[in-house]
Amino acid sequence: MTTFLDNARLYLGVLKRVGRTMTLGLFGSNNRQELLALYNIYETKTNGKESTPVDPFIIPKTDIFELLGNDSAVYEGVYECGFGHTTEFELKVISNLVKKLNPNRVFEIGTFQGRTTLNIALNCHPDAIITTLDLPSSELDSTKMEIEEGEIRYVTKDISGERFIGHPIAYKIKQVFGDSATFPFEEYTNSIDLAFIDGSHAYDYVLNDSEKVFNIMRPGGLIMWHDYTNWPGVWSALNKLYQSDIRYVNIKHIGGTSIAMLKV
Ligand SMILES: C[S@@+](CC[C@H](N)C(=O)[O-])C[C@H]1O[C@@H](n2cnc3c(N)ncnc32)[C@H](O)[C@@H]1O
């Protein structure tokens, strides 16, 4: 009964809102912005097409790094983000950690457009090598384990790493392709200073990627996982590791981000 009443209230509320927005509301710019934002969500959901986001927030931005005056990193494309990317703040957190740790060998699972790869490259050692692994679109249907329905859109793309391809810093980046469940990680054993796990968000993949990455880390290296708070597959896999695997006892969730990290 409560659910029925709640639903009725919800539908009536939405009806009232839509009625106003589509009539008198059309004269107000805030209503038009809202409609455009809704249209963008619709486009993204139905066509998988990412339209230019409508950003009504015109007040200049700041963040804790700027306020405390300890932002030592450099960035590119930090504000050009949307679905499938790290947030602005997350990218700043990652870039500052990279700057501080100054890693020589970095491994990323899940390149996508290469926005995080690029910013890692901009902030690490001049001789560093960032290896970034991506599943090619052509292998979407032949992965060893099942990926999530909602991440197919990140796999099916014409270019992987478009943010760094042709960039002067791209000499630090090595692109490799394949499925993280079958990729030959052995050649990286015991060599990686910093890893960023952001490939498939399916439970089995997060377990697979965590184990594979654990084995390529050098002692004292840092593993970061993206999307701990965003995808059930990520949080349940990391929770399981935290609760049942002694190697993960010191894993931490970085507050204000969806990043989990572990010093191995
Ligand atoms: C959310 S995006 C990564 C975003 C990127 N790390 C960033 O910060 O901008 C996920 C990426 O993981 C890749 N991926 C999905 N499943 C994979 C798998 N089994 N092996 C390797 N890469 C995978 C997708 O092709 C996609 O490019």
Side-chain angles (χ1 to χ4, degrees):
M1 190 62 185
T2 322
T3 319
F4 174 77
L5 283 177
D6 285 347
N7 281 340
R9 225 173 277 135
L10 174 73
Y11 294 134
L12 280 175
V14 170
L15 208 61
K16 198 168 134 199
R17 186 73 186 262
V18 170
R20 199 177 53 218
T21 308
M22 297 298 287
T23 52
L24 282 178
L26 288 174
F27 296 104
S29 77
N30 54 334
N31 287 303
R32 283 198 299 274
Q33 297 263 15
E34 207 170 303
L35 274 180
L36 263 171
L38 279 175
Y39 177 70
N40 277 325
I41 293 171
Y42 165 79
E43 278 282 282
T44 308
K45 285 225 155 109
T46 49
N47 308 332
K49 215 169 74 187
E50 207 162 311
S51 32
T52 316
V54 182
D55 193 350
F57 312 113
I58 56 167
I59 295 176
K61 276 193 170 129
T62 188
D63 59 45
I64 198 68
F65 290 115
E66 194 181 356
L67 292 173
L68 296 181
N70 61 357
D71 188 348
S72 63
V74 289
Y75 313 106
E76 258 190 63
V78 76
Y79 298 121
E80 283 108 55
C81 57
F83 292 106
H85 294 284
T86 49
T87 66
E88 297 159 20
F89 186 58
E90 287 172 344
L91 193 56
K92 290 192 168 191
V93 169
I94 293 168
S95 302
N96 274 278
L97 273 171
V98 169
K99 190 93 199 170
K100 183 174 153 59
L101 298 172
N102 200 20
N104 230 315
R105 293 287 179 270
V106 179
F107 200 102
E108 176 185 43
I109 301 184
T111 312
F112 191 39
Q113 294 181 0
R115 177 168 162 273
T116 303
T117 332
L118 170 65
N119 284 276
I120 292 175
L122 287 169
N123 287 289
C124 65
H125 199 276
D127 300 329
I129 300 175
I130 299 107
T131 305
T132 181
L133 167 68
D134 213 16
L135 181 70
S137 306
S138 55
E139 290 183 28
L140 175 66
D141 297 322
S142 53
T143 51
K144 187 172 176 195
M145 297 178 285
E146 242 179 79
I147 70 164
E148 295 281 349
E149 179 85 23
E151 58 194 2
I152 292 176
R153 55 195 296 202
Y154 308 125
V155 181
T156 48
K157 52 192 177 301
D158 295 332
I159 307 170
S160 180
E162 64 193 81
R163 301 274 186 127
F164 59 73
I165 290 174
H167 192 287
I169 208 81
Y171 75 92
K172 287 188 190 176
I173 301 170
K174 181 180 151 204
Q175 275 192 279
V176 289
F177 293 94
D179 175 5
S180 63
T182 51
F183 181 78
F185 281 94
E186 295 74 23
E187 69 172 280
Y188 300 90
T189 302
N190 214 12
S191 71
I192 299 300
D193 303 301
L194 185 108
F196 186 51
I197 301 181
D198 193 17
S200 169
H201 303 82
Y203 178 82
D204 288 335
Y205 265 107
V206 181
L207 289 183
N208 168 81
D209 295 357
S210 304
E211 189 56 30
K212 299 281 171 66
V213 161
F214 211 100
N215 293 326
I216 61 172
M217 300 305 291
R218 64 150 184 84
L222 185 81
I223 307 178
M224 288 189 280
W225 291 260
H226 190 228
D227 287 322
Y228 173 60
T229 52
N230 300 336
W231 287 83
V234 182
W235 76 64
S236 32
L238 292 187
N239 286 352
K240 180 188 159 74
L241 291 172
Y242 171 62
Q243 289 176 320
S244 63
D245 188 330
I246 187 76
R247 297 173 302 167
Y248 289 82
V249 71
N250 290 321
I251 193 167
K252 293 279 183 288
H253 169 207
I254 305 179
T257 76
S258 70
I259 302 167
M261 54 165 266
L262 177 70
K263 197 164 183 268
V264 298

